[in-house]
Amino acid sequence: MTDARRRPPPRLVRRRSFLQLAAAAAGLPALASCVRAPRTRSISGALTLAAPDHPVTWPIYAGNEPIADNRTPERNATLRLYNYADYIGPEVIKAFEKKYSQYNVNVTVSTFNDTDEAMTKIRTGAVPYDIYFPSYDQISRLVAAELVRPLNHSYLTNIVNVWPAFQNPWYDQRWRYTIPYTVYTTGVAWRTDVVKTDIATLPNPYDTLWDGAYQGQTAIIDDWHTAMAMCLLRAGKTNVNTSSPADLALIQRQLEQLQQAVRPRVTITMYNDLPAGRFGQCQMWSGDVVNAQYYLPKGTSVDVLRYWFPPDGRGMVDNDLMVILKGGDNPVLAHLFLQHMLETKNALANFGYVGYQPPQRSLDPDAVVSRGFVPKNLASAVVREEYFAVGYRLLELSVANDAAWHRIWLAFKAGA
Amino acid sequence: MARRRIRLSPWPVLSLPGIAWLALFFLAPLYVVLAIVFGSVDPTFRTPAPIWNPLHWQAGQLTYVLDRIVGSNAVFGPALLRTLVYVLVASTLCLTIAFPVAYYVARLSTRRKGLILALLIAPFWISYMMRMLAWVNLLGTDGLVNKTLSLGGLFDVHVDWLSGRSIVVILGLVYGYVPYMILPLYAGLDRLPQSMLEAARDLGANRARAFVRVVLPMCRPTIIAGVLLTSLPMLGDYYTNDLLSGSPSTAMAGNLIDQTVLTPGETGYAGAFVLLVLVVSLVPMLYYVRSVARSELTAT
């Protein structure tokens, strides 16, 4: 997930809502938490920003080298994962604990609401988290501040299981710091009992979200970059990381038109709200629409759900990562856990729980449907490897550009 | 000359826990907020970099917010104005509902007073969030409200209550906060001396006149306290809007704080909004203090 507020689907709606609200309630205390002195390396100069046309090999700093080969796992340890709520299958965790039961391993999961919050907390060093689940748009800061530990590849032989592109990704050449976790697309989902038109057949399917006929029935993702990038794609602009003032003005106009036309809900709970009928169409992550089938009311067929993503892959595609944090107490176990998650059997079990697809080579996109992970009518939610060759990536922006994007988003969220 | 003995009273010591509480949980956090608002931003992580020394404070983040409240670039103005209107309407509705209820319980109910009081406290047994979540289901397109309005399917009713409607947010605020007004009103009305009312009636005032000329003026501090108890938390409320609308078209000041507090580079704006809410809250609070002081003066 590329940014703030982007979270995976949960199993328990109420629990998710509670987490959301509780975290929001913690907003003001967060002001105080923000001021803890960061225990990180100071950064001077501009950040190196990775992009598909600008692959980056991150340096390994002296004093932060990978762990040695063949080390014995830590005994009686608590391996601390830091992740979005319900973004990892409990059974996969249990399987890991069982596998290393001779070392008496206990795995705990702490959750965050968005990666900005996570980064703030990690920087304080208050909790020695071992593994963190960021997106690639945080890599430069994680590496530059030496918050992450470089990987020892000898522990991670299962890397061969993932798509080749992720064995040497542009955001982390030679995969020095990161392991891919999930892949997903961002498209438009709808209920056929509300939206009678087949959105996929429209000349510009994004237009449906601006269609005044669906006022009160429309939602967009509460993630600044994802939502604003869609405005650009709708207008035929494909540079979804633009710094052009004209493009930013275009985004602003599009958001204003959206507000006037449909008064959209801005949320990340579409995995629940769409099947519950709280709206009829929305911008949506593929993993969420896969999970939405489990939230349909009794008696409602999964057939009412549809998802559109450009069939040629020219839409927003993203992936999340796993990294080992430098401040963690159990680097060996952390490596073994990543190895465990890369194992096809565990990756698939995790897919069944979170709804977000792992980039596993053995997972044939067609088999994803035939094996029942994704219903036939949502086959377009299956993420294909080739999408990553042509799809648009939400990249880390320069500080000034990031601020400019955020200003427009804040004005939109303020209902101006 | 006989030296006057000064005897120190032990009673002020009892106020120490209260003072410590205030210092720890109000003054210290407020200072943190000020240090963030008047501080700077980490150039890389865009996290707040508070400035603790007031002599070095910078007003950039505060003026950024203030500049955008009115004028051609007033992106925050509508949400702040909306908040005031919502809170004003919701507080008025709360008072309209709460006063007769509190009056009945305090003055007219006799045997059932205990039961009614218990029922009035009942909403506190369930968290505010849970009660709002219940309304999300009730107000859904196929929820109980629409089913009731359709008179059992006689009419086709598909009102999208949760689609960014101001009225739903306001009624949500009323529903959520009205118990907080009933209880202080009840406490105030219950203490109203019966003799004063009887004196008014003896002097020829009918029920309505006695109510207007005696009960209401005597209840003024209580009413103000009730309005304050409900309107102040409403000013910072964000989850009522989040749950019952979720649309920017009904965003309130609390939503602005929630949106900015953890957004990189915008934490200072959150602090500025907090200060704005604080300043706005101070006005009715000062009026309350003045009103209580005046009523005490009248009583003596």
Side-chain angles (χ1 to χ4, degrees):
Chain A
M1 313 217 163
T2 59
D3 190 73
R5 296 170 199 282
R6 189 180 285 197
R7 293 193 304 165
R11 285 290 159 188
L12 296 170
V13 182
R14 292 199 186 284
R15 186 179 157 204
R16 170 83 165 253
S17 306
F18 277 134
L19 285 167
Q20 230 180 323
L21 290 162
L28 281 183
L31 276 170
S33 74
C34 289
V35 301
R36 284 186 68 144
R39 292 167 49 187
T40 57
R41 181 175 175 269
S42 62
I43 301 169
S44 56
L47 286 170
T48 304
L49 301 178
D53 57 355
H54 182 246
V56 174
T57 306
W58 299 108
I60 293 176
Y61 298 106
N64 188 27
E65 290 89 4
I67 59 168
D69 294 353
N70 302 316
R71 274 181 55 180
T72 311
E74 296 84 1
R75 286 184 181 278
N76 303 318
T78 297
L79 185 73
R80 294 179 178 86
L81 312 185
Y82 197 32
N83 198 356
Y84 291 96
D86 296 298
Y87 197 32
I88 188 160
E91 285 171 15
V92 184
I93 291 175
K94 273 185 199 153
F96 179 76
E97 287 173 334
K98 197 174 167 190
K99 195 180 200 173
Y100 293 97
S101 57
Q102 75 269 32
Y103 297 103
N104 192 24
V105 178
N106 177 37
V107 180
T108 61
V109 181
S110 298
T111 59
F112 52 80
N113 283 280
D114 58 63
T115 50
D116 293 324
E117 173 196 328
M119 188 73 111
T120 305
K121 200 165 172 184
I122 290 169
R123 283 184 73 212
T124 65
V127 185
Y129 298 117
D130 292 292
I131 298 172
Y132 171 48
F133 295 72
S135 181
Y136 51 79
D137 65 355
Q138 284 192 318
I139 283 301
S140 72
R141 285 174 291 163
L142 284 167
V143 174
E146 287 190 57
L147 293 169
V148 283
R149 189 187 291 275
L151 303 172
N152 179 328
H153 293 183
S154 69
Y155 294 89
L156 302 165
T157 51
N158 284 338
I159 192 72
V160 294
N161 294 342
V162 305
W163 293 346
F166 290 114
Q167 292 181 34
N168 189 28
W170 51 266
Y171 54 78
D172 181 20
Q173 292 275 281
R174 295 154 68 184
W175 59 291
R176 281 183 156 177
Y177 288 93
T178 64
I179 291 289
Y181 182 51
T182 56
V183 287
Y184 53 95
T185 62
T186 308
V188 177
W190 72 98
R191 284 181 65 124
T192 53
D193 53 349
V194 179
V195 180
K196 303 295 179 192
T197 320
D198 182 0
I199 289 173
T201 62
L202 293 174
N204 184 351
Y206 292 114
D207 281 346
T208 189
L209 299 176
W210 274 258
D211 188 342
Y214 300 113
Q215 188 179 82
Q217 289 288 349
T218 304
I220 60 166
I221 295 172
D222 191 2
D223 173 78
W224 62 276
H225 208 165
T226 310
M228 291 165 76
M230 181 183 65
C231 296
L232 289 169
L233 294 180
R234 182 196 179 216
K237 306 261 184 185
T238 56
N239 180 2
V240 292
N241 307 290
T242 181
S243 58
S244 150
D247 287 345
L248 292 176
L250 170 76
I251 294 172
Q252 191 163 9
R253 281 198 303 278
Q254 295 264 350
L255 288 174
E256 285 165 5
Q257 287 166 13
L258 182 74
Q259 177 69 10
Q260 283 162 10
V262 293
R263 283 203 318 254
R265 277 181 81 93
V266 186
T267 179
I268 51 162
T269 55
M270 25 282 276
Y271 63 88
N272 174 46
D273 296 342
L274 185 73
R278 296 204 181 106
F279 40 74
Q281 59 171 13
C282 60
Q283 185 189 24
M284 203 158 181
W285 288 307
S286 56
D288 271 9
V289 80
V290 170
N291 234 21
Q293 58 183 308
Y294 304 114
Y295 293 92
L296 283 162
K298 228 177 194 173
T300 306
S301 164
V302 69
D303 198 44
V304 299
L305 297 174
R306 292 286 188 280
Y307 179 77
W308 169 82
F309 176 76
D312 60 359
R314 293 181 190 279
M316 278 183 270
V317 292
D318 279 299
N319 66 287
D320 282 350
L321 313 169
M322 293 182 280
V323 296
I324 297 177
L325 293 173
K326 188 185 171 191
D329 295 329
N330 311 293
V332 182
L333 276 175
H335 276 80
L336 296 176
F337 190 83
L338 298 194
Q339 170 80 342
H340 177 74
M341 294 304 292
L342 288 171
E343 202 175 315
T344 303
K345 181 182 69 174
N346 299 322
L348 294 187
N350 198 46
F351 179 29
Y353 181 82
V354 302
Y356 281 77
Q357 193 178 322
Q360 287 277 325
R361 298 172 80 152
S362 60
L363 193 62
D364 173 23
D366 298 319
V368 169
V369 176
S370 61
R371 288 172 70 180
F373 285 112
V374 175
K376 207 172 176 182
N377 51 303
L378 295 176
S380 51
V382 177
V383 186
R384 293 173 183 273
E385 193 177 352
E386 54 268 29
Y387 291 169
F388 283 81
V390 293
Y392 309 117
R393 313 296 296 261
L394 301 176
L395 306 178
E396 187 169 8
L397 305 179
S398 70
V399 170
N401 196 24
D402 184 272
W405 279 68
H406 269 102
R407 275 197 291 271
I408 295 170
W409 184 244
L410 178 58
F412 168 67
K413 287 291 296 283
Chain B
M1 200 169 77
R3 186 179 275 181
R4 238 180 110 186
R5 262 194 169 171
I6 300 170
R7 291 187 63 186
L8 289 175
S9 165
W11 299 115
V13 176
L14 294 177
S15 68
L16 282 180
I19 292 170
W21 192 92
L22 266 180
L24 204 61
F25 296 111
F26 177 68
L27 292 178
L30 183 64
Y31 187 69
V32 172
V33 171
L34 289 170
I36 289 174
V37 174
F38 295 106
S40 60
V41 176
D42 180 292
T44 308
F45 287 91
R46 304 191 63 224
T47 47
I51 295 176
W52 301 109
N53 184 350
L55 296 174
H56 299 149
W57 279 357
Q58 306 159 3
Q61 300 188 96
L62 182 65
T63 51
Y64 178 87
V65 170
L66 294 178
D67 286 348
R68 282 155 185 79
I69 293 176
V70 288
S72 58
N73 198 16
V75 289
F76 304 134
L80 296 175
L81 182 66
R82 197 180 295 129
T83 307
L84 288 177
V85 173
Y86 285 9
V87 170
L88 196 69
V89 176
S91 297
T92 309
L93 284 172
C94 278
L95 185 61
T96 312
I97 295 166
F99 198 91
V101 174
Y103 192 82
Y104 173 79
V105 179
R107 314 294 305 174
L108 304 176
S109 68
T110 48
R111 279 188 307 158
R112 295 196 196 94
K113 187 182 273 193
L115 176 68
I116 297 171
L117 269 177
L119 290 174
L120 288 176
I121 297 168
F124 291 105
W125 299 343
I126 305 166
S127 80
Y128 187 96
M129 202 190 303
M130 280 298 288
R131 286 185 280 142
M132 285 300 151
L133 279 170
W135 274 107
V136 171
N137 291 318
L138 294 173
L139 291 170
T141 316
D142 56 351
L144 195 63
V145 173
N146 275 351
K147 279 182 183 158
T148 308
L149 290 175
S150 69
L151 298 178
L154 208 59
F155 304 102
D156 191 23
V157 178
H158 282 284
V159 183
D160 303 318
W161 296 105
L162 302 172
S163 61
R165 292 170 186 270
S166 295
I167 186 70
V168 174
V169 177
I170 290 171
L171 291 179
L173 289 171
V174 172
Y175 167 75
Y177 288 97
V178 78
Y180 296 92
M181 190 175 279
I182 293 175
L183 288 180
L185 284 180
Y186 162 76
L189 287 164
D190 195 44
R191 284 186 317 208
L192 213 62
Q194 184 65 24
S195 55
M196 297 289 276
L197 287 175
E198 285 168 359
R201 297 297 301 277
D202 288 347
L203 292 168
N206 60 20
R207 278 176 183 274
R209 202 169 170 78
F211 178 80
V212 173
R213 300 296 295 270
V214 178
V215 176
L216 272 185
M218 289 183 75
C219 286
R220 193 162 61 180
T222 310
I223 291 171
I224 297 170
V227 171
L228 277 177
L229 273 175
T230 51
S231 61
L232 296 189
M234 277 185 206
L235 282 170
D237 187 298
Y238 63 91
Y239 37 87
T240 304
N241 176 58
D242 265 358
L243 289 174
L244 299 183
S245 164
S247 166
S249 61
T250 53
M252 298 170 67
N255 297 105
L256 293 181
I257 296 169
D258 179 41
Q259 167 68 27
T260 50
V261 71
L262 287 173
T263 304
E266 293 180 355
T267 311
Y269 304 160
F273 292 126
V274 168
L275 291 183
L276 280 174
V277 170
L278 187 70
V279 169
V280 172
S281 311
L282 275 178
V283 176
M285 189 61 85
L286 291 174
Y287 179 68
Y288 172 71
V289 171
R290 188 168 162 265
S291 172
V292 169
R294 280 173 73 183
S295 64
E296 278 174 357
L297 200 67
T298 312
T300 53

